[in-house]
Amino acid sequence: MFDEPVAGAVPVYLRSGSAVLNESENVFLAMLDGWRAQQYARNLAPSTVDARRSIVLRFRGFAESYPWSWSVATVDEFFLEMRAIRGASRSTVLGYQNALRMFLEYLTDPAYGWSEQCWERFGDHPAQVFHEWNTARHAAEAIAEPGKRPYTRDELEDLFDCADERVLRIRRSGVKGWLPAFRIATLMKVAYAWGLRRNEVRQLDLVDLAYNPRARQFGDAGIIYVRFGKAMKGSPPKRRTVLTMPEFGWAVDCLQQWRDEIRPLYAPPGSTSLWPSERGNQIITAGQISRSFAEVKREAGLTDDLDFHSLRRSYVTHLVEEGYDAFFIQQQVGHEHASTTSIYTGLSPDYRARVVDDAIARMATEALAAKD
């Protein structure tokens, strides 16, 4: 009689109508457990599920009430504090609103039985309080602050030179730390030269480097297989193949030096990660990359509108400036839509001036040909 019809439905012990200790809190926790089961049934990653659960818990703590008592006014107060007082970014606010909206969609869906259960126990029921008119809109696939931009070629040179000089300085001083410094210096160059996201580059393995018979000059680094690309909702990480481009052949030497000469001094036995951590067989964490990168960028004197992801923006921009086909670039970076790739592009003034000069020269040539 009480078999759960779908993952995430009201559990048996609550549908039996029996009383429970601390009724409101226990019903709320059962809601969270049910929502977790429902999301797992949709094949969402555990990290995504846990992050959304944390958002719901934070909102419940702010509201000091349970979902069957949440109101639009509470939503406004919560996000006013996030934006005006805590300085949360637009993308963070959007992520919170989406998670809370989905939680309430789950609770108000009759298939799961929560509305009926709350009415019987508390004389009230959950309602959707996140609407188009009181939440942010996700108008584009990528949301970045207006100041985020690619590096100029001079800035990239400064960044990479600073990273290399840091390795030499630490090594000459005789203190520990030159190996991690070498690691972040190489990792940054690889992220730029193959247009990789932070999570994509950090999870590279030795077997992800492959030979490209059409680009023999790059040896066994002519192809990089990305196995942990950005996933679509409910889907596993997207895989893609990134070809090594002639413009970034210098990075192949850096990568091979790390893999063949430096990494063996650092990697524990049995490790196959391209960027092993100091902790046994573990790979480097995203936090380690961010902290190390921030130190290099600060030493290089670069501004806050340039971040790790700007390396990927620079890759897209520089391929466009070299004249590569837009669809090819889209495939290289793994964007679902061409419009997303265009967002990443920040063409330099020199390139734009060159395009204008070429157009003027072409028009002049055509005019002379017409007179003849």
Side-chain angles (χ1 to χ4, degrees):
M1 176 180 180
F2 294 118
D3 291 338
E4 294 188 21
V6 290
V10 176
V12 172
Y13 77 93
L14 288 178
R15 281 190 282 150
S16 65
S18 59
V20 294
L21 295 175
N22 197 356
E23 189 171 40
S24 296
E25 184 68 14
N26 275 287
V27 169
F28 174 62
L29 293 177
M31 289 174 168
L32 289 175
D33 290 342
W35 193 37
R36 178 192 290 118
Q38 183 243 24
Q39 292 180 93
Y40 282 154
R42 293 166 52 204
N43 200 30
L44 297 183
S47 57
T48 300
V49 176
D50 291 342
R52 289 175 177 174
R53 185 178 189 277
S54 297
I55 291 172
V56 173
L57 288 171
R58 180 173 176 182
F59 185 80
R60 179 256 175 277
F62 176 88
E64 297 183 343
S65 61
Y66 294 99
W68 49 91
S69 301
W70 290 351
S71 66
V72 170
T74 307
V75 171
D76 292 343
E77 292 169 4
F78 179 73
F79 288 104
L80 177 62
E81 177 180 296
M82 281 192 70
R83 287 289 285 163
I85 300 177
R86 300 184 181 275
S89 67
R90 292 177 178 84
S91 58
T92 298
V93 167
L94 180 63
Y96 271 61
Q97 290 175 346
N98 283 343
L100 292 165
R101 179 190 292 112
M102 286 186 286
F103 179 58
L104 288 176
E105 285 175 353
Y106 158 71
L107 294 183
T108 55
D109 189 326
Y112 301 106
W114 287 109
S115 293
E116 181 181 355
Q117 185 66 210
C118 290
W119 185 260
E120 292 176 359
R121 290 181 178 271
F122 312 115
D124 205 347
H125 59 82
Q128 182 59 267
V129 293
F130 291 86
H131 308 283
E132 286 191 7
W133 47 266
N134 71 336
T135 56
R137 287 186 178 184
H138 192 160
E141 185 176 334
I143 296 181
E145 293 299 318
K148 299 300 183 185
R149 61 176 178 84
Y151 292 87
T152 65
R153 296 181 189 271
D154 287 342
E155 287 169 337
L156 277 174
E157 186 174 349
D158 289 343
L159 182 70
F160 295 151
D161 285 349
C162 181
D164 292 339
E165 290 169 4
R166 197 161 165 266
V167 176
L168 294 174
R169 185 177 70 250
I170 295 173
R171 191 169 187 178
R172 286 168 182 163
S173 68
V175 300
K176 295 180 179 180
W178 75 270
L179 288 173
F182 202 113
R183 179 182 60 188
I184 190 63
T186 310
L187 187 149
M188 287 161 44
K189 295 168 187 173
V190 170
Y192 163 63
W194 282 271
L196 306 180
R197 300 177 177 92
R198 183 182 62 175
N199 194 53
E200 292 173 348
V201 69
R202 83 175 185 88
Q203 297 204 70
L204 287 177
D205 203 271
L206 293 175
V207 298
D208 295 327
L209 308 181
Y211 180 77
N212 182 355
R214 294 182 176 273
R216 301 174 185 274
Q217 68 271 30
F218 301 135
D220 58 359
I223 295 173
I224 284 186
Y225 294 115
V226 176
R227 292 178 294 117
F228 294 92
K230 188 175 182 180
M232 302 294 286
K233 290 182 179 179
S235 300
K238 289 176 62 178
R239 294 170 175 255
R240 72 177 187 279
T241 299
V242 183
L243 304 180
T244 303
M245 307 306 297
E247 290 75 13
F248 307 110
W250 55 268
V252 173
D253 296 333
C254 300
L255 176 57
Q256 290 174 337
Q257 182 186 17
W258 163 259
R259 183 195 60 188
D260 299 336
E261 301 176 23
I262 309 301
R263 183 187 171 279
L265 306 174
Y266 196 74
S271 172
T272 60
S273 170
L274 188 58
W275 318 106
S277 169
E278 295 87 340
R279 302 176 180 177
N281 279 334
Q282 296 179 12
I283 64 173
I284 187 173
T285 66
Q288 284 178 291
I289 293 176
S290 295
R291 288 189 295 272
S292 299
F293 175 79
E295 291 175 6
V296 176
K297 192 183 78 167
R298 184 169 57 251
E299 287 188 24
L302 298 175
T303 59
D304 290 340
D305 58 349
L306 296 166
D307 55 15
F308 191 90
H309 203 70
S310 291
L311 296 170
R312 182 170 157 88
R313 298 185 185 99
S314 303
Y315 175 81
V316 171
T317 297
H318 295 161
L319 285 184
V320 171
E321 292 182 351
E322 291 297 331
Y324 283 95
D325 177 75
F327 182 71
F328 172 77
I329 299 172
Q330 179 186 342
Q331 296 299 306
Q332 283 281 96
V333 294
H335 284 154
E336 191 75 15
H337 306 290
S339 58
T340 307
T341 309
S342 67
I343 293 172
Y344 278 58
T345 308
L347 302 176
S348 67
D350 288 344
Y351 172 78
R352 292 196 294 269
R354 190 164 68 248
V355 170
V356 173
D357 289 343
D358 290 345
I360 292 173
R362 186 172 61 254
M363 291 170 63
T365 301
E366 291 173 354
L368 290 174
K371 289 182 178 180
D372 294 340

